């Protein structure tokens, strides 16, 4: 996390700049640094839910982040690179750069668990490979299709 960020969130889609509002946030992984701006942003986010009936918290964040949070409150949001904090929205990530996985872009706990279990097994196979074989094979990506991964 950058010292300049008030909030850090994972991304469904990452556009290359950690501070660009063109990134698509996924609030399933969210870090908020304690500060007046961040506390105000969290209160505004919560209050905004009543203005967007039927939308869940991530959809509300998408509605208010550019205006209410960034422009009006001066909150600096940092988006995590999907090369390291990946998800099911994008299935082209290399296991060598992956730190954690998020079961985003997937509906239902059963579907998420199914694909995460498959991914974990692939990760175990990858980790058992000798380093020389990993280098020789190049990027190792998870298999497609799954229930969520498509």
């Amino acid at each position: 996390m950058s010292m300049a960020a008030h909030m850090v969130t994972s991304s469904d889609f990452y556009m290359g700049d950690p501070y660009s509002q063109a990134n698509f946030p996924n609030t399933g992984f969210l870090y908020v640094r304690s500060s007046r701006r961040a506390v105000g942003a969290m209160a505004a986010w919560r209050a905004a839910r009543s203005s967007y009936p039927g939308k869940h918290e991530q959809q509300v964040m998408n509605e208010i982040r550019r205006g209410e949070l960034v422009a009006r409150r001066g909150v600096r949001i940092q988006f995590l690179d999907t090369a390291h904090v990946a998800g099911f929205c994008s299935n082209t990530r290399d296991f060598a750069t992956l730190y954690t996985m998020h079961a985003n872009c997937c509906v239902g706990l059963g579907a998420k668990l199914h694909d995460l279990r498959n991914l974990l097994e692939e990760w175990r196979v990858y980790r058992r490979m000798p380093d020389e074989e990993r280098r020789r094979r190049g990027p190792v990506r998870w298999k497609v299709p799954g229930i969520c991964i498509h």
Side-chain angles (χ1 to χ4, degrees), residues 74-95:
V75 173
R76 189 161 169 108
I77 303 172
Q78 179 182 356
F79 300 88
L80 296 175
D81 189 337
T82 54
H84 306 299
V85 181
F88 291 154
C89 293
S90 178
N91 63 0
T92 59
R93 300 299 175 217
D94 183 356
F95 275 152

Side-chain angles (χ1 to χ4, degrees), residues 56 73 78 106 136:
H56 60 68
R73 296 184 180 275
Q78 179 182 356
C106 185
R136 184 176 44 80

Side-chain angles (χ1 to χ4, degrees), residues 23-150:
N23 292 308
F24 291 80
N26 186 303
T27 56
F29 182 86
L30 179 69
Y31 173 83
V32 180
R33 188 177 64 186
S34 182
S35 69
R36 288 181 196 260
R37 284 186 188 177
V39 168
M42 297 304 286
W45 185 14
R46 182 180 169 109
R49 291 191 72 181
S50 64
S51 299
Y52 299 94
K55 292 193 175 186
H56 60 68
E57 69 279 352
Q58 182 175 322
Q59 292 169 322
V60 174
M61 170 63 84
N62 285 333
E63 295 287 344
I64 70 167
R65 71 183 163 105
R66 289 184 181 101
E68 175 68 25
L69 300 186
V70 175
R72 185 165 174 240
R73 296 184 180 275
V75 173
R76 189 161 169 108
I77 303 172
Q78 179 182 356
F79 300 88
L80 296 175
D81 189 337
T82 54
H84 306 299
V85 181
F88 291 154
C89 293
S90 178
N91 63 0
T92 59
R93 300 299 175 217
D94 183 356
F95 275 152
T97 65
L98 187 61
Y99 301 152
T100 191
M101 185 68 185
H102 184 184
N104 57 357
C105 296
C106 185
V107 177
L109 183 58
K112 290 178 183 201
L113 290 173
H114 176 271
D115 280 10
L116 284 171
R117 284 183 183 115
N118 287 344
L119 182 68
L120 181 59
E121 183 53 36
E122 291 182 47
W123 172 251
R124 288 176 176 147
V125 169
Y126 170 76
R127 294 297 298 160
R128 288 191 294 262
M129 278 184 219
D131 288 342
E132 184 178 310
E133 183 178 347
R134 285 187 212 159
R135 282 190 295 276
R136 184 176 44 80
R137 287 184 61 184
V140 178
R141 294 173 172 89
W142 55 83
K143 295 176 189 165
V144 176
I147 295 173
C148 305
I149 304 171
H150 49 280

Side-chain angles (χ1 to χ4, degrees), residues 14-26:
Y14 181 75
M15 303 304 172
D17 176 356
Y19 295 101
S20 171
Q21 291 301 307
N23 292 308
F24 291 80
N26 186 303

